[in-house]
Amino acid sequence: MRVAPVGGTAVQDHVALAEIELCGDLIIAASAAQDRLSLESIDEVLRVAEERDASGG
């Protein structure tokens, strides 16, 4: 078994961290919902409209 060296060698994948955060947001929304999340609710949680507006689409 290899153990990561102690110190400043941590690597961060910002895309993966963002995806993990979005998955967490979906899990929280789903657990708080009384029923299944609608597609519109999922888009709202994932901030799809905000991304679309920011990209000009």
Side-chain angles (χ1 to χ4, degrees), residues 10-39:
V11 176
Q12 289 189 358
D13 183 340
H14 297 286
V15 174
L17 292 174
E19 289 178 0
I20 292 167
E21 181 178 354
L22 290 173
C23 287
D25 292 345
L26 275 175
I27 292 168
I28 292 168
S31 66
Q34 296 294 322
D35 204 4
R36 294 178 63 148
L37 293 176
S38 67
L39 294 177

